[in-house]
Amino acid sequence: MNKVIDILKLSNYDKFKCIADKCKFTCCEGWDIGIDGDTYNKWKEKNNKSDYIFNNIKIKNCKSKTEYFINKETHEACPFLDNQGLCKIVKSHGEEYLSLTCHMFPRIENIFEDKKELLLSCACPEVVELISSINGKINIISENNTNLKNNLLELKIRETLVNIVQQKNFSLEDKLIISFQMLLTILENESFREDNLLEELEKYKNGDYIRELIDMYHDVDLNINDSVEEINYLFLDIIQNYKEVSVLDILLKDISDFAENIKIRTLSAKWHDYKRLFEEYNKLIENCIVSKILSCCISSDIKEMIISFQLIILEYLLVRYAVFLKYCMNKNKEIDTQDIKDYIVAFSRIIGNNTEAVREFIIDGFGEAVLEIGYLCFITLF
Ligand code: SF4
């Protein structure tokens, strides 16, 4: 008998449509574009069709693995892009000839034992537009209403993360810290038996329990100048190599010049007014965060799951800070929704699509791949 496979789709999944040459954030620039082995072999078999393709491929041999990439520097545009912003491979051979990465983006498929989830990446501006048009909470919906229960523990943990982030009555920052704390507790008790783990997850369904944890973190006094100074350093360090990427320079150049030269105290004085205004955009940001949790927090290795979640927090903090710099530069002291959407795309690419590089950056700077909760509070809860 065939096993029933449930297909689940992110809200608005079917509405996605690439706007190709009308897109100001072409997906063909600003990262290393990998080519999967099957596509490489297919292109090899059809060599006569693919000469111009092989002239633009680089091969990396690392350890026992051979990896294939489109031959470009991270910041450069794809050599297959024509001057109208259209892909030469698609024009010559059709979409099905593309490598998996190019064919799929921004779609994401997560396959589990009895289900397939179809999600979308916030690294595409059209996806962020679709998410911003959702009125309520973003969701993942079963296509055939089978809605099988999450039997895998990692999916139960992910479900708890989503439930915490979608709780009412708490600030988004608090919910991110509490979620991170929950993952750390699970990591520290790796020997948890399944029933202990489920008991631990159950606690986070209780709003009073979450409130107690939040109060504990708010007992610590934070100096706003120190926190702003730290996030300013972090921001400048992380975007350092992305200011030259042409699809990102327009977003990063002005604010990074501003951040390099402004006095921290001048920035700190504007922070509280800004934060109040920024909270008005929580619905969009929360829905983007949930879509990232659904896509990325799926590892059965809890340490890997924490690292994925930590990157989601970092993306959030950098979006919040980049929009803050824009706000400080703006004479009217207003927030433009388009800035929020643009920085969500930018940091989804800088962090979410370069996870290995960011992981190394964190290890180099902090000695560990997982940040300390005290440090995260310091850069989040001020
Ligand atoms: S970023 Fe999105 S809309 Fe833009 S070209 Fe890529 S898939 Fe299309």
Side-chain angles (χ1 to χ4, degrees), residues 91-125:
K91 281 201 319 193
S92 310
H93 312 293
E95 276 233 15
E96 60 290 349
Y97 209 67
L98 284 172
S99 69
L100 218 49
T101 310
C102 299
H103 188 64
M104 290 288 290
F105 184 84
R107 299 171 193 87
I108 300 167
E109 264 188 35
N110 287 336
I111 298 172
F112 306 99
E113 50 191 27
D114 54 5
K115 66 167 130 186
K116 178 151 94 173
E117 296 181 346
L118 305 177
L119 302 137
L120 293 166
S121 163
C122 289
C124 164

Side-chain angles (χ1 to χ4, degrees), residues 278 281 284 323 335-344:
F278 189 70
Y281 300 88
L284 164 65
V323 177
I335 295 178
D336 183 342
T337 320
Q338 193 55 48
D339 285 338
I340 298 187
K341 291 177 184 170
D342 287 348
Y343 286 114
I344 290 173

Side-chain angles (χ1 to χ4, degrees), residues 35 39-40 42-58 71 79-80 88-89 92-93 97:
I35 300 159
T39 303
Y40 182 84
K42 179 175 77 183
W43 288 348
K44 266 263 177 246
E45 275 167 31
K46 304 195 174 170
N47 205 359
N48 58 334
K49 268 187 170 187
S50 315
D51 264 2
Y52 74 102
I53 297 181
F54 283 102
N55 294 337
N56 287 295
I57 287 181
K58 60 183 172 191
N71 192 12
F80 299 119
K88 288 179 201 157
I89 300 179
S92 310
H93 312 293
Y97 209 67

Side-chain angles (χ1 to χ4, degrees), residues 296-307:
C296 309
C297 296
I298 52 167
S299 175
S300 56
D301 177 335
I302 188 70
K303 188 167 178 190
E304 288 305 313
M305 192 187 285
I306 297 191
I307 291 171

Side-chain angles (χ1 to χ4, degrees), residues 16-20 23 25-27 105-106 123-126 349:
F16 171 74
K17 202 165 181 320
C18 170
I19 53 168
C23 176
F25 281 102
T26 169
C27 42
F105 184 84
C124 164
E126 281 305 290
R349 292 185 176 197

Side-chain angles (χ1 to χ4, degrees), residues 367-379:
E368 282 288 339
V370 176
L371 291 168
E372 286 181 9
I373 184 113
Y375 178 74
L376 265 190
C377 290
F378 173 55
I379 56 172

